[in-house]
Amino acid sequence: SAVISQKPSRDICQRGTSLTIQCQVDSQVTMMFWYRQQPGQSLTLIATANQGSEATYESGFVIDKFPISRPNLTFSTLTVSNMSPEDSSIYLCSVAHRGEAFFGQGTRLTVV
Amino acid sequence: KQEVTQIPAALSVPEGENLVLNCSFTDSAIYNLQWFRQDPGKGLTSLLLIQSSQREQTSGRLNASLDKSSGRSTLYIAASQPGDSATYLCAVRRNTGNQFYFGTGTSLTVIP
């Protein structure tokens, strides 16, 4: 299995500001995934982060809004930029280890 | 594109009952299927992983089955307990790529 530490666990932010979410994995993984879960909805993939290359963004998500860093094989950050109330969601990082998906505990973001 | 549907969206049962949660997917070319549990505002905890070549997996009071040809999976929970109250999500991984496709979840409440 893979253990993922994600922080912060929750935050309340002012509109127009940015928040950076961190994920640390206890083993080296090639890809890390960032998801968004809006209230009452399922998970939507934002982007896939590969070490040493640009992240791959899904349709509807752009790098300027959700910049991602992947400096090594155990760590990644997602920044939610210029936040608005519509960005209020749970953000989750995930890795696939031997075909099985593992998740961090999520970051519950509220934008006021 | 893979679409994953879960029925029912919500379920309320008295403690001790056995119950079945359903998951269906549109593209049978899957690598595996995974069931997760999510507590309110939290991340996802992996419950069971079924490879595409398998028919079922068991862990304690949980049993998951997979019928790939019909695009269906069920999660059976025996002797339900109040601590089982959570949202249950299924996710499928396609044969190509690393993306997981999530259902919308079933919100389970077990009444003491």
Side-chain angles (χ1 to χ4, degrees):
Chain A
S1 68
V3 178
I4 304 173
S5 299
Q6 182 175 344
K7 58 181 181 181
S9 59
R10 58 172 57 214
D11 208 340
I12 300 173
C13 300
Q14 297 290 325
R15 68 176 66 203
T17 63
S18 298
L19 175 71
T20 296
I21 303 167
Q22 300 180 4
C23 267
Q24 179 77 50
V25 189
D26 68 344
S27 58
Q28 294 185 338
V29 292
T30 305
M31 287 180 283
M32 294 180 72
F33 306 91
W34 287 98
Y35 289 87
R36 180 176 74 181
Q37 187 179 30
Q38 294 178 302
Q41 300 193 23
S42 192
L43 280 70
T44 300
L45 182 64
I46 297 172
T48 302
N50 299 296
Q51 194 269 334
S53 64
E54 291 280 338
T56 303
Y57 289 83
E58 298 299 308
S59 176
F61 298 97
V62 295
I63 187 171
D64 289 347
K65 176 67 176 177
F66 298 101
I68 288 171
S69 78
R70 185 79 201 276
N72 57 54
L73 291 173
T74 63
F75 187 79
S76 179
T77 67
L78 170 77
T79 298
V80 186
S81 303
N82 189 24
M83 289 184 284
S84 66
E86 292 71 33
D87 294 320
S88 297
S89 295
I90 298 173
Y91 292 85
L92 300 117
C93 64
S94 173
V95 302
H97 181 70
R98 296 184 179 180
E100 185 173 358
F102 295 91
F103 284 81
Q105 284 304 296
T107 297
R108 188 168 199 167
L109 171 63
T110 302
V111 184
V112 297
Chain B
K1 180 185 174 184
Q2 179 73 269
E3 293 185 4
V4 183
T5 305
Q6 290 185 247
I7 295 173
L11 182 63
S12 183
V13 300
E15 181 177 3
E17 271 204 11
N18 303 324
L19 57 101
V20 175
L21 308 181
N22 297 291
C23 172
S24 61
F25 46 94
T26 55
D27 185 352
S28 62
I30 65 169
Y31 183 78
N32 60 34
L33 182 145
Q34 199 166 347
W35 282 92
F36 295 89
R37 169 191 173 128
Q38 185 177 30
D39 293 292
K42 301 294 186 182
L44 277 65
T45 301
S46 178
L47 297 174
L48 288 165
L49 171 70
I50 310 178
Q51 302 293 348
S52 63
S53 59
Q54 297 176 321
R55 298 283 295 184
E56 66 177 338
Q57 281 286 339
T58 299
S59 176
R61 294 182 293 110
L62 305 180
N63 176 275
S65 67
L66 174 64
D67 184 344
K68 198 172 66 168
S69 60
S70 67
R72 290 174 15 179
S73 176
T74 61
L75 179 66
Y76 175 83
I77 302 177
S80 58
Q81 303 171 357
D84 294 331
S85 298
T87 296
Y88 290 81
L89 294 157
C90 69
V92 298
R93 183 180 174 188
R94 293 172 66 180
N95 281 334
T96 56
N98 294 286
Q99 185 173 353
F100 290 83
Y101 295 85
F102 284 84
T104 50
T106 294
S107 177
L108 172 65
T109 301
V110 181
I111 303 166

